[in-house]
Amino acid sequence: MQTVRYALVAGLVVFLAVGDAMAECEPRVAYEMTVDFDPGDRSVSGRQVIVWRNYGPDPVQTLPFHLYMNAFRRADSTFFREDRTSRHARPFEPANAGACRLTSLAIDGMGDLLDRLLFIQPDDGNPADETVVSLTLPRPVMPAESITIRIEFETVLPRLVARAGWSGNFFLVAQWYPKLGVLEPPGWRGALLTRWNCHQYHRHSEFYANFADFEVRLTAPAEYVIGATGREIARTPEPEGRTAYVFRETCVHDFAWAACPDFEVVRDTFFGQVDVTAAEYAAWAEWLEMKPADLWLPDVRLTILMHRDHRELADLTLHTLKQAVKYYGLWFGPYPYEQITVVDPAPGAAAAAGMEYPTFFTGGSHELQAWWPFSAIRLETVIVHEFGHNYWQGMVASNEFEEPWLDEGINTYAEATVNRFMYNPGGHPLETLSLGGFLTSRYRYLQRQPLLDPVNRVSWEYFPGHYGVNAYDRASLLLLTAEPLMGRPRFYQALRQYFRKFQFGHPTTADFLQHFKDAGNETVAALLADVILHNGTVDFRADSIRVTPPNEEGRVTSQVAVSCLGELRLPVDILFCFEDGTELRETWRPVGDRNWHEFEFVRETPLAAVVVDPEYRVALDDCFANNSLTRRPVTDPVDTWQGLVQFVMQMLLQVATWLA
Amino acid sequence: MRSVYPFGKLGQLLLVLYLGSLLFSWPVGALFGARLDDYAGASLFLQRLEGQPFDPLFLAEFLPNAAPLKLVSPLLPPLMVGYFLFHVFFAGGAMYSLAERRGPFWASFWQGFMKFGSRFLLLNLIFLSLAAVTVLLIVSLFHLVQKMAPEPAGDMAPLYIALLQGAVIFTGVGLLQSMHYVIRARWVLQPRPLWQMLRVPLQGNARFLLLAAVKYLVITLLGFGLAALVIRLAFSLTVHGVLLLVLLQLAVLCTVAGRIWLYAEFVKDGRRQLRAEEERMKAVPPAANVPVAGGGGATESGTDAVVSATGGAAVGGTPAAADDSPVESPGRENRPEGKT
Ligand SMILES: [Zn+2]
């Protein structure tokens, strides 16, 4: 009975909550597409009708479109140019090129406009890049006027290099159709005058678009299993062994799909009243200072397209997905769409793994992960991370080109935190190899020192090789550092409020910083601004311990110097350990231009050791190893490590004499 | 005679190789430990580690910052080269003293070390280049086949192919190594010019070669396997320093013992081969320039020049010119006495 009543009440609340959330979304454009998928040619071709309303105050004379598959058309496209600077550059092979061609373009009332198209390169002026095309209209589109654009296009998918393309009989079809840029009227993301924002396709970024309504009618060979953004609302057999699918979704900024005959379909439902216990609702309600009823989560249909080689991992994927739906939902707000589809890339299609599209994402598994010890390399992190992108970028649709940290950084933090909710932290050393978790972020952060950019940069303007560490890892560690400064519940609340405020919007870094300024914690606001905008760093150190001989009363003076390198001014706990076993804690905060401080204790026993930040709360500290100092070396663990090093040395030497 | 070898020849050799191995790796470990000890207050950080399962944070934290490791890294290349040379020269001493049956052990070891070490090095360089070419060939072959073959099905396929490639390389190199060891063993028993020695494995027993290659592989894999095991233990348990050290020494001893056993096997086989040849020589009337003392030939330095001058056509080598040699020719000692 209790359950039924719960379900009824919850259902009502959910209905209201979802209705409410979706009402906040205002789709700016509608896409209706009818396309044919030909796996033999690796092509998708068809028609597209775009209905766009000028929502700005000014007349608009040009329309820019993304034609992103052209990034894979030539070796000197901006994508390949940027890729060349990376350590794992992939060569361009003409036989495996991709392309997106328009065969006709007309606007109702303006006639055929195909001849008016011109490739433009707003980001880098690279004339070889054909990923953005601009259409000059014969007459301007007036404010509030709607136009209907009719396009016929053919997309050839590239062999997988990055993100979209094919590998064997697996297809990830993303960024595959002509898509309008984003009109930014004055006031949008800091725009002073009406402007278009339509970036080229880059090595590290591809997302920024209006929220839109999609209806896609897709025909494909019947043996192919298809998964896509949104809900499948129809499936009908067609002649010549083909099947037609219709997918529909509202308030999403993109539409992607995948096809492979080797997918096995696993379906389940996330039940807001079963998969989350009343106790969990209550705990989160207390955490967030809300009523449990305001946290209730709606049901979500889950579809997993698992490659049959990885079928053993389907249960784990499903379980993880439910956990992600639960924790992201409780923390930031309910997942408002009815459906989520997860695609498991085929073996050999790793380049398509871990990609996020609205209500649709790819995981990434390997048969080995079903076996010890490789099972420690967690499949879960990628599922949690990519699901999380439905929130960060999917719904809070920041500009990934210009401010990549806003989605990747916040989402990496959220993913690592959700992983902590899901599992006990620490454990197996192989975990260090898996993607995700604060430990990995910390490791990459240390490896790339010194960092030469602030967290926030246009994605292609970071120091070579420093995009990931800044946009993902450092941003994640920054939020982890801010967490205890603000108090964990307060911080969780502030992030939730930020999400709710900008759900179905396009916030900027300035909006984020302003939000945290308004949240009222000056230290946190300053910390965020210093690292995100100014490359602020911090390294706390314990510098010296000096002990004077006992005075006539038998008391000794212990002096401890601690210092803080870097620009950040954070309060930090310091633990003082005395030889009689007593411990003392103090908080120190460097002020102004004085980067050090001396503590003095006059006591019966001298100081034995000092530890700055004993709980490692300042996750951004450039080096934890210099945080502590002891007057008497501790030798036991040193023996362990010297033994281990000796062993490793021995093995290295054995390799050297393998052929001796 | 036996009283000359108080712990047995193998035992003494084992001790030498073990101590030598320690000599190369121990200072590095000690240096690391000592440096870690006073490295910017790491001690307390380490203290937190005690009594806890392995903390990956330590790895994440320490490796990028580890001054001790940075200190060790420039030492690595010279250490590796030094250890390699030590092994080659040790093999000279070990095989010679195993072949030699008279005189004090250390004298023969030292003599072999000095004389055969340099010869072995030369031989080794030849085999290293052979090994390099073999590996290159195998890798290119796999590359070619992979290019021609369709996309591998399943994500285990690339792994299996890589494993297969590894196995082929390992077996190929193992076979080369066992040929190399056959030459070494024969060289200390019956010194002749290098170019003549290179033909020895081709005349030898194919079954023995194959078996030796397998033994060589097993010993090598045992070394790596033990390493993996100990590292795994160290990473997952709270391993106390002493326990780790004991495990380490055991693993080192095992691989070192394996190597010496292998050397002994090769010397034993070399003797068998020589004996077989001797038997054959007895059956056939000896050629004019072949000494009656079958099998054994030259011993000391200087005789090699004579050997090359007279040509290598004769199976038995050249007249034994070193009657005044302090150590008798090991070859002469290869009478079927049944003891080694
Ligand atoms: Zn991401």
Side-chain angles (χ1 to χ4, degrees):
Chain A
M1 274 311 280
Q2 184 75 12
T3 329
V4 173
R5 191 146 27 95
Y6 253 52
L8 280 176
V9 175
L12 188 65
V13 170
V14 162
F15 174 77
L16 289 174
V18 175
D20 189 37
M22 293 305 258
E24 289 166 16
C25 175
E26 197 183 332
R28 305 281 178 175
V29 51
Y31 291 85
E32 208 186 299
M33 295 188 259
T34 306
V35 291
D36 280 320
F37 167 49
D38 184 346
D41 291 353
R42 286 143 186 163
S43 72
V44 184
S45 52
R47 305 185 306 275
Q48 179 186 49
V49 180
I50 306 175
V51 179
W52 181 77
R53 190 180 67 92
N54 180 356
Y55 50 84
D58 300 306
V60 169
Q61 184 88 47
T62 57
L63 298 175
F65 296 87
H66 303 112
L67 299 179
Y68 275 174
M69 282 304 105
N70 286 341
F72 302 102
R73 196 172 160 194
R74 324 171 40 156
D76 42 5
S77 71
T78 293
F79 172 87
F80 279 112
R81 276 191 182 185
E82 290 173 359
D83 191 46
R84 248 174 267 155
T85 62
S86 91
R87 265 183 300 166
H88 310 288
R90 282 144 291 196
F92 169 78
E93 289 171 39
N96 297 325
C100 181
R101 273 187 294 276
L102 303 192
T103 48
S104 91
L105 190 157
I107 294 181
D108 289 4
M110 294 190 210
D112 189 352
L113 304 173
L114 193 65
D115 297 342
R116 291 171 164 262
L117 288 173
L118 189 70
F119 287 117
I120 57 168
Q121 299 81 21
D123 297 339
D124 62 358
N126 169 14
D129 194 74
E130 299 181 344
T131 55
V132 176
V133 72
S134 173
L135 171 67
T136 308
L137 300 170
R139 65 159 183 85
V141 182
M142 302 315 282
E145 182 190 349
S146 278
I147 54 170
T148 303
I149 309 162
R150 295 174 197 279
I151 294 176
E152 284 177 24
F153 68 98
E154 191 194 14
T155 295
V156 178
L157 296 160
R159 185 184 181 140
L160 263 173
V161 173
R163 315 203 272 255
W166 58 270
S167 168
N169 60 7
F170 168 87
F171 293 80
L172 176 61
V173 191
Q175 306 292 7
W176 56 284
Y177 58 95
K179 184 166 63 173
L180 264 180
V182 180
L183 183 76
E184 297 186 333
W188 269 50
R189 297 181 61 257
L192 297 173
L193 299 169
T194 299
R195 65 186 183 195
W196 280 101
N197 192 303
C198 190
H199 288 287
Q200 294 159 244
Y201 189 80
H202 289 275
R203 176 63 191 88
H204 292 302
S205 47
E206 60 174 301
F207 297 117
Y208 181 51
N210 280 126
F211 287 97
D213 291 339
F214 284 88
E215 182 167 317
V216 178
R217 190 187 143 85
L218 168 73
T219 54
E223 69 271 21
Y224 273 78
V225 180
I226 308 282
T229 293
R231 294 154 288 143
E232 182 185 321
I233 55 167
R235 186 188 297 197
T236 45
E238 296 275 300
E240 296 171 29
R242 293 175 74 82
T243 305
Y245 302 81
V246 180
F247 293 96
R248 191 183 287 162
E249 195 53 272
T250 186
C251 270
V252 286
H253 64 65
D254 201 1
F255 186 98
W257 52 282
C260 181
D262 296 329
F263 283 149
E264 289 183 2
V265 183
V266 181
R267 288 183 208 283
D268 203 339
T269 303
F270 170 86
F271 292 108
Q273 275 64 57
V274 178
D275 292 304
V276 192
T277 63
E280 281 173 314
Y281 280 122
W284 273 88
E286 204 184 314
W287 237 174
L288 299 172
E289 295 176 3
M290 293 173 69
K291 289 197 281 290
D294 295 338
L295 288 177
W296 270 326
L297 300 181
D299 298 348
V300 181
R301 283 205 306 272
L302 316 174
T303 303
I304 294 172
L305 304 183
M306 207 73 198
H307 193 274
R308 62 171 172 218
D309 284 5
H310 306 151
R311 64 163 71 92
E312 296 89 350
L313 297 163
D315 286 346
L316 182 59
T317 305
L318 197 63
H319 168 77
T320 311
L321 182 60
K322 284 185 180 177
Q323 299 281 307
V325 173
K326 170 168 89 178
Y327 286 116
Y328 272 83
L330 288 171
W331 189 354
F332 304 116
Y335 176 79
Y337 306 100
E338 285 175 31
Q339 164 77 37
I340 180 86
T341 302
V342 183
V343 167
D344 172 55
M355 278 313 302
E356 69 275 17
Y357 299 94
T359 77
F360 171 93
F361 65 88
T362 62
S365 56
H366 193 282
E367 222 176 304
L368 270 182
Q369 282 173 310
W371 305 88
W372 183 90
F374 303 97
S375 42
I377 300 174
R378 281 190 180 148
L379 161 76
E380 294 95 307
T381 51
V382 69
I383 301 290
V384 173
H385 182 94
E386 306 311 332
F387 173 77
H389 274 305
N390 277 289
Y391 285 74
W392 305 108
Q393 225 300 311
M395 286 184 269
V396 175
S398 44
N399 188 321
E400 201 214 15
F401 299 90
E402 296 173 16
E403 303 171 297
W405 85 272
L406 270 176
D407 59 314
E408 292 299 2
I410 297 177
N411 191 43
T412 301
Y413 162 77
E415 166 227 314
T417 309
V418 165
N419 265 300
R420 287 216 294 209
F421 297 149
M422 288 166 64
Y423 307 99
N424 280 330
H428 202 285
L430 272 184
E431 272 172 29
T432 323
L433 304 177
S434 61
L435 295 164
F438 290 118
L439 187 67
T440 316
S441 284
R442 177 89 194 139
Y443 190 68
R444 283 194 291 239
Y445 176 67
L446 292 177
Q447 269 193 324
R448 302 289 194 288
Q449 293 288 338
L451 296 181
L452 305 170
D453 297 280
V455 162
N456 189 32
R457 271 256 190 280
V458 171
S459 83
W460 55 95
E461 286 182 358
Y462 289 102
F463 178 78
H466 281 193
Y467 156 79
V469 66
N470 272 300
Y472 290 68
D473 304 312
R474 193 187 189 187
S476 167
L477 294 174
L478 170 65
L479 298 180
L480 185 66
T481 304
E483 204 184 271
L485 290 173
M486 200 159 173
R488 193 172 274 180
R490 285 252 174 280
F491 191 78
Y492 285 2
Q493 286 166 26
L495 209 55
R496 179 188 173 92
Q497 283 149 11
Y498 170 73
F499 175 81
R500 302 299 284 184
K501 192 156 141 195
F502 293 102
Q503 190 176 12
F504 302 116
H506 306 281
T508 59
T509 297
D511 293 322
F512 179 88
L513 293 176
Q514 189 58 46
H515 175 79
F516 275 85
K517 218 171 185 175
D518 297 343
N521 187 311
E522 272 175 36
T523 305
V524 168
L527 165 70
L528 294 174
D530 284 346
V531 180
I532 292 169
L533 305 177
H534 306 299
N535 194 18
T537 59
V538 62
D539 179 15
F540 283 109
R541 296 192 312 189
D543 290 307
S544 66
I545 301 177
R546 275 169 295 143
V547 176
T548 57
N551 59 15
E552 52 269 28
E553 292 158 41
R555 291 159 77 89
V556 288
T557 306
S558 308
Q559 288 169 312
V560 184
V562 295
S563 64
C564 171
L565 303 183
E567 303 76 24
L568 300 184
R569 293 283 171 263
L570 300 173
V572 69
D573 279 356
I574 304 178
L575 177 72
F576 301 95
C577 311
F578 291 88
E579 280 184 358
D580 61 357
T582 52
E583 291 189 346
L584 206 78
R585 246 171 206 272
E586 294 215 18
T587 303
W588 173 59
R589 180 175 190 163
V591 222
D593 59 0
R594 194 179 149 94
N595 281 30
W596 63 279
H597 187 75
E598 191 164 67
F599 293 87
E600 191 175 292
F601 304 94
V602 184
R603 296 167 78 107
E604 270 79 42
T605 45
L607 193 79
V610 57
V611 195
V612 185
D613 192 17
E615 280 82 31
Y616 306 112
R617 286 204 182 113
V618 183
L620 278 177
D621 194 322
D622 284 348
C623 175
F624 283 142
N626 62 8
N627 278 28
S628 58
L629 203 61
T630 177
R631 283 177 55 224
R632 236 170 257 140
V634 183
T635 50
D636 282 4
V638 172
D639 286 346
T640 308
W641 283 90
Q642 89 95 12
L644 196 64
V645 168
Q646 196 187 333
F647 195 83
V648 170
M649 269 307 300
Q650 184 57 40
M651 288 338 286
L652 277 174
L653 293 175
Q654 257 189 31
V655 173
T657 58
W658 182 41
L659 296 174
Chain B
M1 280 303 204
R2 288 197 169 186
S3 60
V4 182
Y5 316 118
F7 308 110
K9 234 185 258 188
L10 292 180
Q12 296 203 31
L13 286 175
L14 185 75
L15 202 67
V16 176
L17 190 54
Y18 171 67
L19 290 177
S21 300
L22 275 198
L23 203 72
F24 277 88
S25 67
W26 180 77
V28 178
L31 186 68
F32 182 89
R35 291 288 305 162
L36 209 58
D37 198 21
D38 58 25
Y39 174 61
S43 316
L44 216 87
F45 192 73
L46 286 166
Q47 198 177 32
R48 284 169 190 281
L49 225 65
E50 273 290 84
Q52 289 174 21
F54 173 75
D55 182 359
L57 182 67
F58 183 88
L59 208 67
E61 214 40 67
F62 225 84
L63 291 191
N65 283 314
L69 265 193
K70 281 173 195 154
L71 211 116
V72 166
S73 59
L75 274 176
L76 257 181
L79 266 180
M80 304 273 265
V81 174
Y83 195 62
F84 177 81
L85 290 178
F86 166 70
H87 260 252
V88 173
F89 276 79
F90 172 83
M95 280 189 161
Y96 187 76
S97 62
L98 284 168
E100 174 54 51
R101 295 191 164 179
R102 291 189 197 159
F105 166 74
W106 287 111
S108 61
F109 177 81
W110 183 245
Q111 205 176 354
F113 190 90
M114 292 307 285
K115 194 169 90 181
F116 285 98
S118 49
R119 293 183 191 186
F120 281 11
L121 187 62
L122 194 65
L123 186 65
N124 209 304
L125 291 179
I126 293 170
F127 267 87
L128 273 182
S129 3
L130 273 177
V133 171
T134 308
V135 171
L136 213 72
L137 276 176
I138 295 172
V139 170
S140 344
L141 194 75
F142 266 85
H143 206 71
L144 201 75
V145 170
Q146 258 174 308
K147 260 205 164 158
M148 292 193 304
E151 298 260 311
D155 46 15
M156 294 303 272
L159 187 78
Y160 291 148
I161 292 170
L163 284 176
L164 183 68
Q165 181 175 322
V168 172
I169 288 178
F170 218 56
T171 314
V173 170
L175 212 64
L176 269 179
Q177 275 298 86
S178 67
M179 289 180 176
H180 170 195
Y181 281 15
V182 161
I183 298 179
R184 279 181 171 185
R186 184 67 76 86
W187 219 359
V188 295
L189 290 167
Q190 187 192 38
R192 275 184 295 162
L194 176 62
W195 62 272
Q196 282 183 20
M197 295 313 299
L198 288 176
R199 282 190 319 211
V200 168
L202 306 175
Q203 302 158 346
N205 180 347
R207 198 166 148 266
F208 173 79
L209 273 184
L210 217 64
L211 216 70
V214 171
K215 285 176 190 165
Y216 168 79
L217 293 185
V218 167
I219 287 168
T220 310
L221 285 176
L222 191 76
F224 293 127
L226 278 170
L229 186 76
V230 174
I231 287 176
R232 163 80 205 162
L233 278 174
F235 273 49
S236 61
L237 304 172
T238 315
V239 180
H240 195 268
V242 174
L243 179 57
L244 190 74
L245 236 58
V246 168
L247 284 171
L248 161 67
Q249 302 318 321
L250 272 179
V252 175
L253 263 173
C254 278
T255 43
V256 163
R259 205 166 254 264
I260 289 180
W261 171 68
L262 209 59
Y263 288 163
E265 287 282 287
F266 276 93
V267 172
K268 218 194 299 184
D269 176 71
R271 275 211 188 100
R272 255 200 308 271
Q273 292 294 322
L274 277 175
R275 259 202 316 273
E277 274 166 28
E278 202 178 310
E279 297 295 314
R280 251 178 296 154
M281 292 307 296
K282 272 184 189 159
V284 183
N289 62 342
V290 177
V292 195
T299 48
E300 294 313 305
S301 52
T303 50
D304 286 5
V306 181
V307 172
S308 34
T310 47
V315 180
T318 52
D323 282 348
D324 55 341
S325 126
V327 178
E328 282 222 21
S329 150
R332 277 176 204 264
E333 276 301 299
N334 287 325
R335 303 289 169 201
E337 289 162 2
K339 55 176 181 171
T340 49

